[in-house]
Amino acid sequence: QDGEPIRIQFHVPYHVNEDCVFPIIQHGFEAADAATNIHVRATQPIYRPRVLGIISHYPLFEQFEKTLVQVLEACRDNYDQGGGGRGEDALIIERIIAMLVHKLAVPIPGRFGVAFSIRNEYIGCSLSTVRNPFLSAFPLKALFDVLSVENILIVFSALVHESRVVFHSHSLKALTVTAQCFLQLLYPMSWTFTYIPVLPVEGIMALQSLAPFIIGVPSDVFMTLEEPPENVFVVDLNQNRVLTPSLHD
C-alpha cells in the first residue's frame, strides 16, 4: 500500500515434540548470541515468519504486483472454504511458484508476450524492443505522482546533457520506477552510462564518480552523507524537490 511493494508474509513451522532451544526473532533477524536463546516446551507448534517476493530484471511491476495479490487471495479463498492450514497455504504458494518459474516462457522483446491466469485474474506480459514510451505498458503516471512537470523537465534536461543525477526516497519502489520512467522518456535516445536504480550502502562511494550516472539511494542512506556530491543533480522524491549543482552552495 501507499506505493510500497506488496510482500506476502507466511510462517514455517518448527517440528518439535519436546523441550528445545530456539533463537529469539528480533526485528526479523535471528539473535546470534547463545545467551539470548530460551527454553520452551513445545506443547503447540512454533512458527517463524517468511516473506514471499518477486525478484526480476524485467520492469514488469504491475504484473508482479497482480501476481502477488492473487497468491494472497488464493490463500484467503482456501481459508474461507474451510482450509487455512499452514501446510495447505504453503502448498498453494508452491504450486503457483512452480507454474511461474518452470512452466512460463520468458517474453521476447518485440516478438511475443506471455499471458497466464491465477484464479480468475488474467495477467499479460510483453516487452518492447525499444524504450518507446508510446509502445510501453510501463506506468509512466508513477513519475508524475512524485515529481512536478517542472522538475521532470529539469531532470530530463540534465540527463540529455549527460549529467550526474541521484534520486533519493524512503520508498525503494519509487526509486526503481522513477529511474525506469526517465529511461523511457529518453527515447529515441538511450542511456549508456552507469545506471543503478537502488544503490546499497556499501556502494555509496559510487556517488563520487566523475562519469555520468543515474543512481537511486534510500533516503536514510543518503542522509548519512556529510554533504551532497559535487556537480550532481539531487532529486528528492519525498518532497518533490530538485537540487541543482549551482544550488549546492
Side-chain angles (χ1 to χ4, degrees), residues 160-216:
V160 169
H161 287 87
E162 299 181 355
S163 301
R164 295 181 292 162
V165 178
V166 57
F167 301 94
H168 76 86
S169 172
H170 295 302
S171 168
L172 297 182
K173 180 180 179 180
L175 290 175
T176 303
V177 171
T178 301
Q180 287 284 340
C181 283
F182 274 110
L183 292 186
Q184 297 282 341
L185 293 180
L186 284 175
Y187 175 83
M189 298 173 289
S190 61
W191 186 260
T192 59
F193 305 101
T194 301
Y195 174 69
I196 308 176
V198 180
L199 182 72
V201 62
E202 294 82 4
I204 197 66
M205 292 304 296
L207 297 179
Q208 304 301 324
S209 172
L210 298 179
F213 60 64
I214 296 175
I215 294 180

Side-chain angles (χ1 to χ4, degrees), residues 1 5 17 20 41-42 57 82 97 103 107 134 137 143 150-151 157 159 169 207 227 240:
Q1 297 178 353
N17 297 313
C20 65
R41 178 172 293 279
H57 63 272
I97 292 175
K103 294 185 178 181
F134 300 104
L143 177 60
E150 179 182 2
N151 284 337
S157 176
L159 295 177
S169 172
L207 297 179
E227 58 183 18
N240 181 27

